[in-house]
Each structure stands twice: as structure tokens, then as C-alpha cells.
């Protein structure tokens, strides 16, 4: 088969992107789990592990640039590599959000949670599923699946709004909870931002597969949010 | 040597930028005796743009290029069907002056082919053929042509040196100077850098970007990266089962190389052809 080197480099990059995605997904789920149990030691481990995510992101970037420089990719190959550079960056930022949740955990000190966390882990689970599906669609060059995934972002947004209202109620009822409620609101916000970045990954998949640049994050009137 | 920066004024959105159609290839087929080398090609050539022909060996790129100034007339048994319009006029119509067509549509070949004479005489050759003898005119055109070919600085001190004494890249620029001395409207280039080293190749490529401001350029290249680097439009030709070359896809270069419409184009440019 012609272009064996290019084909094998592309496969390597796909594997690396999946690996980076797994690391980010796990970091987020762990950060939420640690928050749920107020496990600050675990939170410190998550913060330290972010370095490995950043390092893999740069490894992927470097590898993609080497392929561009040495293999003269064009058309679909070139779009794939441009998307790899972009997605590696998205994943690294998602890793930062997970690290942010771990930091919030530490900042909360020894104060207990206002109430047991239920909706936030749910948000995190949906986001983790979306991320996994989005990266699978990317490596499978599956634009159709990629186009459907962002619809689940509405569930994430719904849960976020619910958490927001609930925490605001806490704060109004008892201003002494403002500190604690604010921390949780930031944690929820981080998860919500991660789900938005999954949508960006899906847009890249459609671009790679079809060459079309589409905006998937739209409101009911089709306008970009 | 100081390299002048060259603005790559490639039309990023060629479709949106108005450019007149300088030549039109309409329903062109080329036969060598009974063998059909090219079938039914339709293609525009836009003014002041670089159009590249790419495709696998034997697909008829050079044959198609040579139909644009009736160079195929020189090959016994070669026959062209269809029309090639230059400013709307069919160059194959009866009564056309072939010499004048070749003055208006010049050509630069694969291997630099300076004549065994001085640099000056090489550039002045076409003018003298046209009957121009006045030294002041010849001097002026020789200098202007050598400047336009980015060669003047290198040869102005000794215009009497033999053209054959120049380096390969300089020889090719001399051939370009010779071609533009007779003020053609279109320049055809058949793999003009394939015999040159990478630096000489890039010098010629830079030169083409400035030349297209005054000329319309059509280039055959087997180097896809070169087509991607320098051209505004690209035509991809392939060979059919009967070995006749045909046009697979034509479009703005940026689109053809990032998002081709035809699978055959995608397979070829990504190296997965065949």
C-alpha cells in the first residue's frame, strides 16, 4: 500500500489523541469524586498529574508538525493533522478545568459540603461520555455521530442551571454559605465549559471528514452561542 | 546574493476576485495518428493567474500544454480537435498566423536550452527574428527582460559571456528572459524546474509570482507541492482505460489541495493513487 509511513503516523496520532482523552476524562471524574468525598490528598495528586496531560499534548503537537514537515500531507490528511493540533489543545484546556476542580477542593479547606453532590457528578458523567464518543467519532472519521453528540450538551446545561438556582437559593437563605456555594458553582462551571469544548472537537471531526466548517453550538434559532 | 522579498499575491479566494478569461480550451481532443492522447478537455485559463496542470505520467499534461500555442503542429501525425480560444479567437481557425500565435503564447521548456551564443544575443534573438535591428531598442528590451527574469544583477557586467556558461538556474532564467523579450501575453512552462536544484527552483517560483502581474502563466509540473505553492488554479488530469488523458477536476488551487471534490483527485494528491 502506498504511503505506509504517513498511514502509520496518522494511526499513532489517533492512538495518542485517544490516550490524552482518557487521561483528561479520568482527571475530571476523579476531581469530582475527590470533591464529593472532600478528599484533598487525591485532589493534590490530580493537580500533579496535569503535567503529564500537558506533556502529552506537546508530544502530539510535535509529532503532528513532524508529519506535516516530512510527509507533505494534503486534503483529508492535512485537515486531519490541523484538527489533531486543535483537539490536542482543547484536551489540554479540559485538563486544566479538571485541575481547577481539584484546586477548588483544596481551597474549600476543611469545611463540609453544603449538601451531598448529586447533580454535579451527573453532569460530569454525561460530559465524560460525550468526550469519549466525540474522540471515537474523530478517529473513525464519523461526521454523522459527531454532529449528534453536542445535543447532549443541553442536558449538561440543564443540570448546570439547576445547580446554579439551588446554590443561589442557599446563598440568599444564609449568606454564611456564600463562600462554599461559590466554590461549588465554579466547579459546576468548569464541567459545563468542558462539555462546550467537546462540541468544538465534534466540529473539528466534521471539518476533517467533509472540509465543512460548521458551528454546532447554536441556539434554537440556529445562531452561534 | 540578496534575495528580494516576494509578495505571494495568490488569490486566496480566486472565485471572488474578478479575472478575465485569457484562453479557453473547449472540447479539445488530441490524436497522434490513431491514438487519442487527450479527450474532450474543457478548461479556462485566467488572465494574470498561474494555472497548473498536474497528473500522473502519460496523462497528457504536456500534450495539452502544447495545444495552447500549436506546438503539436510540429509533430508529424498529431491532430487537434476542438477549439482553443485566445482572447476569444480560435487559434486553430483557418488563416491564423502560427508564428504570431507563438509570439503571443511563449514557451519555456523542461531543460534550460540557451542558444550557443552570448547572453545578450540569446535575449535579443526573438526580436531580431521579428525584424528589430535598432540597437537602442534591443538594449532596452534586453535589460528589461533580464531584469524581469531576476538575472540582470548577475550578468549586467558581462552580457557577452556565453549563455551556456551560466549555472542551471540562471540558464533557465535566461530562457525566461528570452521568452518574455518578445512580449508574449501567455507563457507556457513545461516542468521548468525539474532539472534544477531546490534553491534554483525556489528562485524561479518566486520569479513566477512577479511575472504573473504582467503575464498569464500555464505550468505543467509533476511536483504537486510546487503546484500547491505557486498556482492560483489547478487542473488535475488522469488517464482513462483507453490511455487517453482527460480532465478530472479543475478549480482554485487552495480548494483542490485542501478539499478536492473528486475522490480520484484526493487519491492522487494524497499519494494513494492506483
Amino acid at each position: 500500500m502506498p504511503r505506509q509511513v504517513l498511514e502509520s503516523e496518522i494511526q499513532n496520532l489517533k492512538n495518542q489523541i485517544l490516550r490524552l482523552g482518557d487521561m483528561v476524562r479520568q482527571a475530571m471524574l476523579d476531581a469530582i469524586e475527590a470533591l464529593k468525598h472532600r478528599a484533598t490528598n487525591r485532589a493534590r495528586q490530580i493537580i500533579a498529574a496535569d503535567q503529564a496531560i500537558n506533556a502529552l499534548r506537546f508530544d502530539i503537537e510535535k509529532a503532528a508538525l513532524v508529519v506535516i514537515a516530512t510527509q507533505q500531507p494534503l486534503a483529508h490528511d492535512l485537515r486531519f493533522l490541523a484538527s489533531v493540533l486543535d483537539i490536542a489543545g482543547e484536551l489540554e484546556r479540559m485538563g486544566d478545568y479538571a485541575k481547577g476542580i481539584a484546586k477548588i477542593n483544596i481551597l474549600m479547606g476543611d469545611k463540609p459540603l453544603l449538601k451531598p453532590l448529586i447533580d454535579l457528578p451527573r453532569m460530569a458523567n454525561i460530559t465524560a461520555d460525550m468526550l469519549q464518543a466525540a474522540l471515537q467519532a474523530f478517529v473513525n472519521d464519523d461526521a454523522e455521530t459527531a454532529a449528534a453528540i453536542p445535543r447532549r450538551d443541553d442536558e449538561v446545561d440543564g443540570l448546570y442551571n439547576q445547580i446554579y438556582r439551588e446554590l443561589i437559593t442557599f446563598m440568599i437563605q444564609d449568606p454564611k454559605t456564600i463562600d462554599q456555594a461559590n466554590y461549588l458553582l465554579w466547579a459546576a462551571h468548569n464541567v459545563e465549559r468542558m462539555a462546550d469544548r467537546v462540541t468544538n472537537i465534534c466540529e473539528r471531526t466534521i471539518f476533517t471528514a467533509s472540509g465543512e466548517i460548521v458551528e454546532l453550538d447554536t441556539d434554537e434559532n440556529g445562531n452561534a452561542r | 546574493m540578496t534575495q528580494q522579498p516576494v509578495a505571494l499575491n495568490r488569490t486566496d479566494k480566486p472565485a471572488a476576485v474578478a479575472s478575465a478569461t485569457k484562453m479557453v480550451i473547449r472540447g479539445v481532443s488530441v490524436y497522434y495518428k490513431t491514438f487519442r492522447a487527450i479527450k474532450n478537455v474543457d478548461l479556462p485559463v485566467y488572465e494574470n493567474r498561474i494555472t497548473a496542470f498536474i497528473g500522473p505520467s502519460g496523462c497528457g499534461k504536456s500534450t495539452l500544454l502544447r495545444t495552447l500555442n500549436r506546438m503539436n503542429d510540429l509533430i508529424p501525425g498529431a491532430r487537434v480537435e476542438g477549439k482553443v480560444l485566445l482572447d476569444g479567437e480560435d487559434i486553430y481557425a483557418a488563416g491564423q498566423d502560427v508564428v504570431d500565435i507563438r509570439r503571443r503564447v511563449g514557451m519555456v521548456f523542461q531543460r534550460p536550452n540557451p542558444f550557443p551564443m552570448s547572453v545578450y544575443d540569446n535575449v535579443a534573438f526573438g526580436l531580431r527574428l521579428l525584424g528589430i535591428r535598432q540597437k537602442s531598442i534591443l538594449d532596452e528590451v534586453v535589460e528589461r527582460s533580464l531584469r524581469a527574469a531576476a538575472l540582470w544583477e548577475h550578468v549586467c557586467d558581462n552580457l557577452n559571456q556565453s549563455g551556456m556558461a551560466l549555472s542551471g538556474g540562471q540558464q533557465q532564467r535566461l530562457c525566461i528572459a528570452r521568452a518574455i523579450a518578445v512580449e508574449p501575453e501567455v507563457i507556457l512552462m513545461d516542468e521548468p524546474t525539474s532539472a534544477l536544484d531546490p534553491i534554483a527552483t525556489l528562485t524561479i517560483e518566486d520569479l513566477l509570482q512577479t511575472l504573473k502581474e504582467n503575464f498569464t502563466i500555464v505550468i505543467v509540473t509533476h511536483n504537486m507541492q510546487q503546484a500547491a505553492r505557486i498556482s492560483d488554479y489547478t487542473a488535475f488530469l488522469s488517464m482513462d482505460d483507453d490511455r487517453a488523458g482527460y480532465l478530472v477536476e479543475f478549480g482554485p488551487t487552495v480548494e483542490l489541495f485542501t478539499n478536492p471534490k473528486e475522490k480520484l483527485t484526493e487519491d492522487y494528491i494524497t499519494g494513494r493513487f492506483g
Side-chain angles (χ1 to χ4, degrees):
Chain A
M1 189 180 68
R3 306 230 67 175
Q4 285 184 17
V5 176
L6 177 60
E7 294 282 2
S8 98
E9 293 296 343
I10 285 173
Q11 191 53 52
N12 278 343
L13 284 167
K14 285 182 176 177
N15 294 344
Q16 302 250 71
I17 284 285
L18 289 177
R19 204 173 125 229
L20 183 59
D22 277 344
M23 288 164 77
V24 170
R25 203 173 124 263
Q26 205 51 55
M28 177 189 59
L29 292 172
D30 287 354
I32 294 294
E33 192 65 15
L35 184 64
K36 198 169 154 187
H37 299 290
R38 298 302 335 280
T40 47
N41 276 341
R42 182 75 196 103
R44 281 191 187 85
Q45 289 168 359
I46 293 163
I47 291 167
D50 187 55
Q51 279 180 6
I53 290 175
N54 295 350
L56 182 54
R57 179 254 172 120
F58 287 118
D59 285 349
I60 291 172
E61 267 194 16
K62 198 173 159 195
L65 289 173
V66 167
V67 177
I68 290 170
T70 59
Q71 297 295 318
Q72 286 87 44
L74 288 168
H76 184 278
D77 298 330
L78 184 58
R79 297 199 300 271
F80 170 81
L81 289 160
S83 296
V84 162
L85 292 172
D86 197 69
I87 291 172
E90 295 284 1
L91 290 172
E92 198 248 56
R93 287 310 307 273
M94 290 173 80
D96 290 343
Y97 287 127
K99 183 170 83 171
I101 296 168
K103 276 186 178 169
I104 286 166
N105 196 353
I106 292 166
L107 284 172
M108 284 171 78
D110 50 10
K111 289 180 188 158
L113 290 169
L114 286 176
K115 53 163 275 198
L117 295 185
I118 295 164
D119 287 336
L120 190 53
R122 216 180 272 165
M123 261 179 95
N125 283 330
I126 296 169
T127 304
D129 287 351
M130 285 171 67
L131 176 59
Q132 196 169 29
L135 292 178
Q136 206 57 54
F138 176 64
V139 299
N140 292 340
D141 206 33
D142 182 352
E144 208 176 315
T145 302
I149 290 167
R151 279 182 221 137
R152 295 204 68 193
D153 193 31
D154 292 346
E155 290 177 55
V156 175
D157 289 345
L159 285 166
Y160 176 65
N161 289 335
Q162 202 168 305
I163 291 169
Y164 177 83
R165 282 195 301 270
E166 198 176 12
L167 291 172
I168 291 289
T169 312
F170 267 107
M171 292 190 253
I172 292 168
Q173 280 174 355
D174 179 5
K176 283 203 288 291
T177 63
I178 285 177
D179 223 18
Q180 291 296 81
N182 224 346
Y183 282 133
L184 289 179
L185 199 53
W186 273 109
H189 181 73
N190 277 13
V191 177
E192 192 266 341
R193 294 300 302 144
M194 290 177 91
D196 284 347
R197 284 177 185 267
V198 172
T199 299
N200 295 349
I201 294 173
C202 293
E203 288 170 357
R204 286 286 131 196
T205 300
I206 293 169
F207 169 70
T208 306
S210 68
E212 302 290 323
I213 293 176
V214 293
E215 190 91 56
L216 292 175
D217 188 21
T218 53
D219 60 21
E220 53 280 359
N221 298 321
N223 298 316
R225 276 192 244 223
Chain B
M1 188 179 85
T2 54
Q3 188 89 29
Q4 292 295 314
V6 172
L8 182 67
N9 52 347
R10 185 197 326 248
T11 46
D12 286 330
K13 289 175 187 162
V17 178
S19 171
T21 308
K22 184 69 188 171
M23 297 188 82
V24 177
I25 300 172
R26 190 174 290 163
V28 162
S29 297
V30 182
Y31 295 81
Y32 292 123
K33 293 184 179 155
T34 57
F35 170 63
R36 184 157 68 163
I38 297 263
K39 63 177 172 190
N40 247 336
V41 172
D42 288 293
L43 202 64
V45 173
Y46 295 112
E47 190 162 39
N48 300 114
R49 298 284 183 269
I50 300 178
T51 302
F53 292 173
I54 62 167
S57 297
C59 73
K61 308 181 285 288
S62 296
T63 300
L64 184 64
L65 187 77
R66 287 196 299 263
T67 61
L68 299 180
N69 71 346
R70 295 188 55 169
M71 209 59 117
N72 289 322
D73 290 12
L74 305 171
I75 300 169
R79 183 164 55 87
V80 176
E81 276 177 10
K83 285 184 171 154
V84 175
L85 309 180
L86 174 61
D87 288 337
E89 261 189 71
D90 185 9
I91 63 170
Y92 285 92
Q96 287 282 9
D97 177 354
V98 180
V99 173
D100 187 55
I101 288 165
R102 295 204 188 119
R103 187 199 59 75
R104 293 176 65 193
V105 185
M107 193 151 191
V108 175
F109 297 89
Q110 184 173 357
R111 298 199 70 83
N113 57 345
F115 300 143
M117 51 182 75
S118 72
V119 168
Y120 186 100
D121 289 343
N122 259 283
V123 183
F125 190 87
L127 297 165
R128 286 175 174 146
L129 217 56
L130 293 170
I132 298 164
R133 292 276 181 271
Q134 201 180 323
K135 183 149 185 334
S136 59
I137 294 178
L138 291 177
D139 284 353
E140 189 200 319
V141 175
V142 166
E143 178 174 343
R144 192 172 64 215
S145 304
L146 286 167
R147 280 189 191 281
L151 194 59
W152 177 253
E153 305 291 329
H154 304 276
V155 298
C156 60
D157 294 335
N158 188 4
L159 292 173
N160 292 322
Q161 66 178 311
S162 166
M164 315 290 283
L166 303 176
S167 72
Q170 289 175 338
Q171 285 187 17
Q172 194 61 307
R173 279 181 279 154
L174 178 61
C175 295
I176 290 171
R178 191 177 62 198
I180 61 186
V182 294
E183 295 182 1
E185 294 151 47
V186 182
I187 306 174
L188 310 178
M189 297 188 160
D190 195 352
E191 298 189 15
T193 62
S194 63
L196 304 181
D197 68 49
I199 301 297
T201 295
L202 292 174
T203 309
I204 300 271
E205 289 183 5
D206 284 352
L207 174 60
L208 296 189
Q209 296 304 322
T210 48
L211 285 179
K212 78 171 182 184
E213 288 169 19
N214 297 311
F215 305 96
T216 300
I217 298 170
V218 186
I219 181 169
V220 164
T221 174
H222 62 221
N223 179 341
M224 272 183 301
Q225 299 302 327
Q226 180 170 65
R229 280 195 298 270
I230 64 170
S231 70
D232 301 294
Y233 293 88
T234 300
F236 168 56
L237 292 101
S238 188
M239 216 188 319
D240 224 340
D241 293 336
D242 58 0
R243 289 172 51 232
Y246 69 104
L247 180 71
V248 177
E249 185 167 349
F250 170 79
T253 297
V254 285
E255 281 172 32
L256 195 123
F257 282 97
T258 55
N259 196 14
K261 308 260 179 305
E262 300 294 329
K263 185 173 183 306
L264 200 57
T265 314
E266 169 102 24
D267 287 349
Y268 182 72
I269 64 171
T270 61
R272 292 176 180 83
F273 193 76

